[in-house]
Amino acid sequence: MGRQGRRHGTVTVVVLLGAPGAGKGTQAPVLAERLGVPILASGDLLRAAVAARTALGTAADRYMSRGQLVPDDTIVDIFLERLGADDAGGGAILDGFPRTLGQAEALDRALAERGGRVDLALYIDLPEDDLVARMASRRICAANGHVYNIASNPPREPGVCDLDGSPLVQREDDREGTVRARMAQQIPPLNEVVDHYRATGVLRTIDGLRSIHEVTAGLLAATNREFGAI
Ligand code: AP5
Ligand code: MG
């Protein structure tokens, strides 16, 4: 069972860092369960806005479909507003945010206003060629975005989500040309974010080339060192 998210009377904020395809969405639920806090995933938030055809979705889609980052102006306020919602009062696992140094600094300021900070930044690190291969075989469920991989993490029944029975689909931005663009555009700003958390002393790096279970074990070990074992 998850432990209470509150710690020292403040919030527990864990940032999950990694290039596209590193395994953030695969690993986030285990950490959320362990810490008893929700997952806030910027990509899921944006994909929901695109599907609902909101103004945010229309603005974001132009960038997402080209593999580019959505501008900080478009994502920062919306993401921080989501972080301020009641269910994140004890903290959250952040998947996909921050993605630029500007976003990391905006997050630091917003948390400082609440008497908090980023407690831990877990970086799932692996080479670009392995990332591209993984995304070619990724599938997600249409209803909730649960993540599978037809090579390394297949569903029990082909094409159907184990958790909610919805059909599995390929993400629009997982086609090879877009994947290469995402790597080229998104890894340099990610490296700046990694450096930021290294400088503040909260960065822990996990070898993302290992199996899903081994990566989970590495993430939980780092989390237990920070927050204590349960
Ligand atoms: P987002 O949805 O966040 O995509 P991403 O960061 O590119 O990351 P992915 O979701 O592609 O990968 P993941 O690390 O979650 O890997 P997964 O667990 O699925 O963002 C989408 C777009 O929105 C961005 O391109 C951008 O345009 C925009 N955006 C979002 N946030 C933004 C922000 N803050 N600022 C600006 N723009 C923003 O795993 C990948 C595959 O590998 C799966 O098939 C999985 O089953 C498999 N797998 C996982 N771990 C392993 C393992 N250890 N071994 C073998 N296979 C594995
Ligand atoms: Mg993801």
Side-chain angles (χ1 to χ4, degrees):
M1 292 300 292
R3 223 169 58 130
Q4 263 307 317
R6 284 187 187 281
R7 176 173 174 257
H8 310 317
T10 178
V11 292
T12 300
V13 176
V14 175
V15 168
L16 204 44
L17 297 174
K24 303 180 295 295
T26 299
Q27 301 292 345
V30 182
L31 296 170
E33 166 74 8
R34 160 71 182 79
L35 293 168
V37 296
I39 301 164
L40 306 188
S42 51
D44 290 348
L45 196 146
L46 291 168
R47 277 185 290 279
V50 172
R53 299 180 188 203
T54 63
L56 167 68
T58 310
D61 194 26
R62 286 208 312 270
Y63 298 94
M64 294 171 74
S65 60
R66 289 190 220 137
Q68 296 171 351
L69 288 177
V70 169
D72 285 0
D73 298 0
T74 309
I75 183 78
V76 168
D77 289 349
I78 283 154
F79 193 87
L80 293 179
E81 192 182 314
R82 177 66 191 88
L83 182 60
D86 285 350
D87 66 333
I93 308 294
L94 309 192
D95 165 358
F97 187 98
R99 286 277 242 280
T100 63
L101 188 56
Q103 292 180 17
E105 289 169 350
L107 175 64
D108 287 348
R109 284 194 296 275
L111 290 173
E113 279 170 19
R114 294 161 57 169
R117 64 183 185 114
V118 171
D119 296 284
L120 190 58
L122 296 169
Y123 174 36
I124 308 176
D125 185 22
L126 70 160
E128 186 172 327
D129 285 344
D130 297 275
L131 295 163
V132 174
R134 270 189 197 179
M135 280 193 288
S137 49
R138 170 165 56 187
R139 300 292 181 273
I140 61 166
C141 84
N144 292 299
H146 295 126
V147 184
Y148 296 88
N149 191 291
I150 53 178
S152 62
N153 183 26
R156 282 193 295 273
E157 188 184 333
V160 180
C161 180
D162 293 346
L163 301 174
D164 59 34
S166 72
L168 300 188
V169 295
Q170 188 165 31
R171 259 172 54 174
E172 279 296 320
D173 57 355
D174 274 352
R175 295 169 209 294
E176 188 171 345
T178 317
V179 166
R180 289 281 178 195
R182 286 162 69 194
M183 298 298 167
Q185 314 236 1
Q186 300 189 19
I187 290 180
L190 169 70
N191 288 337
E192 289 184 12
V193 175
V194 168
D195 288 345
H196 174 74
Y197 291 121
R198 186 178 288 118
T200 57
V202 296
L203 185 77
R204 305 290 176 268
T205 301
I206 284 88
D207 176 6
L209 266 182
R210 308 181 77 177
S211 72
I212 290 176
H213 293 300
E214 287 169 323
V215 174
T216 303
L219 292 167
L220 286 175
T223 303
N224 287 339
R225 276 196 294 278
E226 176 62 28
F227 298 105
I230 29 177

mmCIF file of all heavy atoms in Angstrom, residues 19 27 31 39-40 73 78 83-84 93 105 108 110 115-116 130 139 149 154 157 171 178 183 188 206 221:
data_model
loop_
_atom_site.group_PDB
_atom_site.id
_atom_site.type_symbol
_atom_site.label_atom_id
_atom_site.label_comp_id
_atom_site.label_asym_id
_atom_site.label_seq_id
_atom_site.Cartn_x
_atom_site.Cartn_y
_atom_site.Cartn_z
ATOM 1 N N ALA A 19 14.361 10.645 -21.557
ATOM 2 C CA ALA A 19 14.063 10.992 -22.945
ATOM 3 C C ALA A 19 12.759 10.314 -23.359
ATOM 4 O O ALA A 19 12.276 9.413 -22.660
ATOM 5 C CB ALA A 19 15.214 10.526 -23.824
ATOM 6 N N GLN A 27 6.831 3.289 -15.415
ATOM 7 C CA GLN A 27 7.282 3.201 -14.020
ATOM 8 C C GLN A 27 6.493 4.082 -13.058
ATOM 9 O O GLN A 27 6.451 3.794 -11.855
ATOM 10 C CB GLN A 27 8.775 3.579 -13.936
ATOM 11 C CG GLN A 27 9.696 2.706 -14.786
ATOM 12 C CD GLN A 27 9.805 1.269 -14.278
ATOM 13 O OE1 GLN A 27 9.420 0.963 -13.137
ATOM 14 N NE2 GLN A 27 10.304 0.365 -15.126
ATOM 15 N N LEU A 31 5.704 4.113 -8.415
ATOM 16 C CA LEU A 31 6.159 5.166 -7.501
ATOM 17 C C LEU A 31 4.973 5.863 -6.849
ATOM 18 O O LEU A 31 5.008 6.202 -5.656
ATOM 19 C CB LEU A 31 7.010 6.186 -8.262
ATOM 20 C CG LEU A 31 8.310 5.633 -8.851
ATOM 21 C CD1 LEU A 31 8.947 6.642 -9.772
ATOM 22 C CD2 LEU A 31 9.276 5.241 -7.732
ATOM 23 N N ILE A 39 -0.153 10.710 -10.084
ATOM 24 C CA ILE A 39 0.773 10.966 -11.199
ATOM 25 C C ILE A 39 0.229 12.142 -11.996
ATOM 26 O O ILE A 39 -0.944 12.129 -12.382
ATOM 27 C CB ILE A 39 0.827 9.758 -12.158
ATOM 28 C CG1 ILE A 39 1.268 8.502 -11.427
ATOM 29 C CG2 ILE A 39 1.738 10.050 -13.352
ATOM 30 C CD1 ILE A 39 0.961 7.227 -12.202
ATOM 31 N N LEU A 40 1.062 13.118 -12.256
ATOM 32 C CA LEU A 40 0.670 14.197 -13.164
ATOM 33 C C LEU A 40 1.576 14.087 -14.387
ATOM 34 O O LEU A 40 2.785 14.313 -14.290
ATOM 35 C CB LEU A 40 0.835 15.560 -12.504
ATOM 36 C CG LEU A 40 0.142 15.772 -11.155
ATOM 37 C CD1 LEU A 40 0.249 17.228 -10.734
ATOM 38 C CD2 LEU A 40 -1.312 15.349 -11.208
ATOM 39 N N ASP A 73 5.225 28.900 -22.456
ATOM 40 C CA ASP A 73 4.030 29.743 -22.199
ATOM 41 C C ASP A 73 2.751 28.921 -22.219
ATOM 42 O O ASP A 73 1.780 29.251 -21.560
ATOM 43 C CB ASP A 73 3.792 30.758 -23.336
ATOM 44 C CG ASP A 73 4.907 31.709 -23.498
ATOM 45 O OD1 ASP A 73 5.865 31.576 -22.739
ATOM 46 O OD2 ASP A 73 4.802 32.574 -24.388
ATOM 47 N N ILE A 78 -0.655 25.905 -17.036
ATOM 48 C CA ILE A 78 -1.656 24.832 -16.970
ATOM 49 C C ILE A 78 -1.158 23.682 -16.101
ATOM 50 O O ILE A 78 -1.885 23.134 -15.284
ATOM 51 C CB ILE A 78 -1.991 24.368 -18.396
ATOM 52 C CG1 ILE A 78 -2.918 25.408 -18.996
ATOM 53 C CG2 ILE A 78 -2.622 22.997 -18.437
ATOM 54 C CD1 ILE A 78 -2.883 25.482 -20.448
ATOM 55 N N LEU A 83 -1.030 20.971 -10.655
ATOM 56 C CA LEU A 83 -0.272 20.582 -9.459
ATOM 57 C C LEU A 83 -0.878 21.198 -8.192
ATOM 58 O O LEU A 83 -0.728 20.670 -7.099
ATOM 59 C CB LEU A 83 1.195 21.021 -9.629
ATOM 60 C CG LEU A 83 2.185 20.680 -8.520
ATOM 61 C CD1 LEU A 83 2.282 19.156 -8.318
ATOM 62 C CD2 LEU A 83 3.564 21.239 -8.857
ATOM 63 N N GLY A 84 -1.589 22.320 -8.379
ATOM 64 C CA GLY A 84 -2.222 22.990 -7.234
ATOM 65 C C GLY A 84 -3.582 22.414 -6.868
ATOM 66 O O GLY A 84 -4.190 22.841 -5.883
ATOM 67 N N ILE A 93 3.857 12.613 -8.391
ATOM 68 C CA ILE A 93 4.929 12.150 -9.284
ATOM 69 C C ILE A 93 4.753 12.934 -10.574
ATOM 70 O O ILE A 93 3.675 12.884 -11.185
ATOM 71 C CB ILE A 93 4.777 10.643 -9.626
ATOM 72 C CG1 ILE A 93 4.629 9.766 -8.388
ATOM 73 C CG2 ILE A 93 5.931 10.183 -10.519
ATOM 74 C CD1 ILE A 93 5.828 9.712 -7.515
ATOM 75 N N GLU A 105 12.691 25.909 -13.395
ATOM 76 C CA GLU A 105 12.774 27.077 -12.510
ATOM 77 C C GLU A 105 11.383 27.537 -12.094
ATOM 78 O O GLU A 105 11.170 27.922 -10.934
ATOM 79 C CB GLU A 105 13.572 28.194 -13.204
ATOM 80 C CG GLU A 105 15.047 27.812 -13.283
ATOM 81 C CD GLU A 105 15.892 28.723 -14.183
ATOM 82 O OE1 GLU A 105 15.322 29.573 -14.918
ATOM 83 O OE2 GLU A 105 17.122 28.563 -14.164
ATOM 84 N N ASP A 108 10.264 25.195 -9.388
ATOM 85 C CA ASP A 108 10.925 25.507 -8.111
ATOM 86 C C ASP A 108 10.238 26.684 -7.430
ATOM 87 O O ASP A 108 9.990 26.650 -6.219
ATOM 88 C CB ASP A 108 12.405 25.865 -8.343
ATOM 89 C CG ASP A 108 13.264 24.653 -8.693
ATOM 90 O OD1 ASP A 108 12.786 23.518 -8.541
ATOM 91 O OD2 ASP A 108 14.417 24.867 -9.136
ATOM 92 N N ALA A 110 7.124 27.804 -7.845
ATOM 93 C CA ALA A 110 5.754 27.463 -7.409
ATOM 94 C C ALA A 110 5.788 26.615 -6.141
ATOM 95 O O ALA A 110 4.989 26.823 -5.224
ATOM 96 C CB ALA A 110 5.024 26.724 -8.523
ATOM 97 N N GLY A 115 6.013 26.236 0.337
ATOM 98 C CA GLY A 115 6.918 25.707 1.364
ATOM 99 C C GLY A 115 7.517 24.374 0.970
ATOM 100 O O GLY A 115 7.994 23.624 1.824
ATOM 101 N N GLY A 116 7.488 24.046 -0.327
ATOM 102 C CA GLY A 116 7.990 22.744 -0.774
ATOM 103 C C GLY A 116 9.159 22.886 -1.719
ATOM 104 O O GLY A 116 9.706 23.974 -1.923
ATOM 105 N N ASP A 130 18.281 2.713 -28.573
ATOM 106 C CA ASP A 130 17.375 1.821 -27.839
ATOM 107 C C ASP A 130 16.012 2.484 -27.643
ATOM 108 O O ASP A 130 14.978 1.818 -27.649
ATOM 109 C CB ASP A 130 17.986 1.464 -26.485
ATOM 110 C CG ASP A 130 19.281 0.696 -26.664
ATOM 111 O OD1 ASP A 130 19.213 -0.523 -26.823
ATOM 112 O OD2 ASP A 130 20.355 1.335 -26.693
ATOM 113 N N ARG A 139 2.592 0.300 -27.682
ATOM 114 C CA ARG A 139 1.154 0.503 -27.901
ATOM 115 C C ARG A 139 0.590 1.070 -26.604
ATOM 116 O O ARG A 139 1.058 0.722 -25.519
ATOM 117 C CB ARG A 139 0.427 -0.816 -28.227
ATOM 118 C CG ARG A 139 0.935 -1.527 -29.489
ATOM 119 C CD ARG A 139 0.610 -0.773 -30.780
ATOM 120 N NE ARG A 139 1.091 -1.487 -31.959
ATOM 121 C CZ ARG A 139 2.314 -1.385 -32.477
ATOM 122 N NH1 ARG A 139 3.208 -0.550 -31.934
ATOM 123 N NH2 ARG A 139 2.662 -2.086 -33.531
ATOM 124 N N ASN A 149 4.125 -2.943 -24.736
ATOM 125 C CA ASN A 149 5.113 -3.035 -25.795
ATOM 126 C C ASN A 149 4.991 -4.417 -26.411
ATOM 127 O O ASN A 149 5.064 -5.413 -25.679
ATOM 128 C CB ASN A 149 6.518 -2.819 -25.210
ATOM 129 C CG ASN A 149 7.539 -2.635 -26.308
ATOM 130 O OD1 ASN A 149 7.839 -3.564 -27.033
ATOM 131 N ND2 ASN A 149 8.047 -1.428 -26.444
ATOM 132 N N PRO A 154 3.986 -7.290 -23.574
ATOM 133 C CA PRO A 154 2.720 -7.439 -24.306
ATOM 134 C C PRO A 154 1.531 -7.594 -23.359
ATOM 135 O O PRO A 154 1.696 -8.034 -22.222
ATOM 136 C CB PRO A 154 2.946 -8.737 -25.101
ATOM 137 C CG PRO A 154 3.954 -9.499 -24.320
ATOM 138 C CD PRO A 154 4.821 -8.498 -23.606
ATOM 139 N N GLU A 157 -4.013 -10.465 -23.807
ATOM 140 C CA GLU A 157 -4.715 -10.766 -25.060
ATOM 141 C C GLU A 157 -4.254 -9.730 -26.089
ATOM 142 O O GLU A 157 -4.360 -8.517 -25.823
ATOM 143 C CB GLU A 157 -6.226 -10.636 -24.820
ATOM 144 C CG GLU A 157 -7.065 -11.094 -25.980
ATOM 145 C CD GLU A 157 -8.556 -10.840 -25.726
ATOM 146 O OE1 GLU A 157 -8.961 -10.813 -24.554
ATOM 147 O OE2 GLU A 157 -9.288 -10.635 -26.697
ATOM 148 N N ARG A 171 0.622 5.472 -30.781
ATOM 149 C CA ARG A 171 0.553 6.929 -30.633
ATOM 150 C C ARG A 171 0.922 7.595 -31.942
ATOM 151 O O ARG A 171 1.829 7.152 -32.634
ATOM 152 C CB ARG A 171 1.511 7.381 -29.526
ATOM 153 C CG ARG A 171 0.800 7.667 -28.239
ATOM 154 C CD ARG A 171 1.742 7.934 -27.089
ATOM 155 N NE ARG A 171 2.735 8.973 -27.291
ATOM 156 C CZ ARG A 171 3.555 9.388 -26.332
ATOM 157 N NH1 ARG A 171 3.490 8.853 -25.122
ATOM 158 N NH2 ARG A 171 4.446 10.322 -26.575
ATOM 159 N N THR A 178 8.840 11.103 -36.727
ATOM 160 C CA THR A 178 8.514 11.968 -35.584
ATOM 161 C C THR A 178 9.362 11.598 -34.371
ATOM 162 O O THR A 178 9.800 12.466 -33.615
ATOM 163 C CB THR A 178 7.014 11.841 -35.222
ATOM 164 O OG1 THR A 178 6.252 11.838 -36.412
ATOM 165 C CG2 THR A 178 6.563 12.976 -34.334
ATOM 166 N N MET A 183 13.655 13.102 -30.486
ATOM 167 C CA MET A 183 14.972 12.923 -29.863
ATOM 168 C C MET A 183 15.853 14.161 -30.090
ATOM 169 O O MET A 183 16.450 14.698 -29.166
ATOM 170 C CB MET A 183 15.702 11.709 -30.463
ATOM 171 C CG MET A 183 15.015 10.404 -30.249
ATOM 172 S SD MET A 183 14.900 10.032 -28.503
ATOM 173 C CE MET A 183 13.742 8.699 -28.577
ATOM 174 N N PRO A 188 18.492 17.741 -25.892
ATOM 175 C CA PRO A 188 19.321 18.835 -25.348
ATOM 176 C C PRO A 188 18.655 19.578 -24.173
ATOM 177 O O PRO A 188 19.308 19.741 -23.123
ATOM 178 C CB PRO A 188 19.561 19.735 -26.573
ATOM 179 C CG PRO A 188 19.460 18.783 -27.740
ATOM 180 C CD PRO A 188 18.376 17.803 -27.366
ATOM 181 N N ILE A 206 19.207 6.116 -12.973
ATOM 182 C CA ILE A 206 18.922 4.677 -13.015
ATOM 183 C C ILE A 206 19.201 4.196 -14.437
ATOM 184 O O ILE A 206 18.813 4.853 -15.412
ATOM 185 C CB ILE A 206 17.445 4.397 -12.628
ATOM 186 C CG1 ILE A 206 17.269 4.538 -11.101
ATOM 187 C CG2 ILE A 206 16.998 2.990 -12.993
ATOM 188 C CD1 ILE A 206 16.977 5.843 -10.614
ATOM 189 N N ALA A 221 14.536 1.573 -4.892
ATOM 190 C CA ALA A 221 15.680 1.649 -3.971
ATOM 191 C C ALA A 221 16.060 3.115 -3.736
ATOM 192 O O ALA A 221 16.290 3.536 -2.595
ATOM 193 C CB ALA A 221 16.859 0.862 -4.534
#
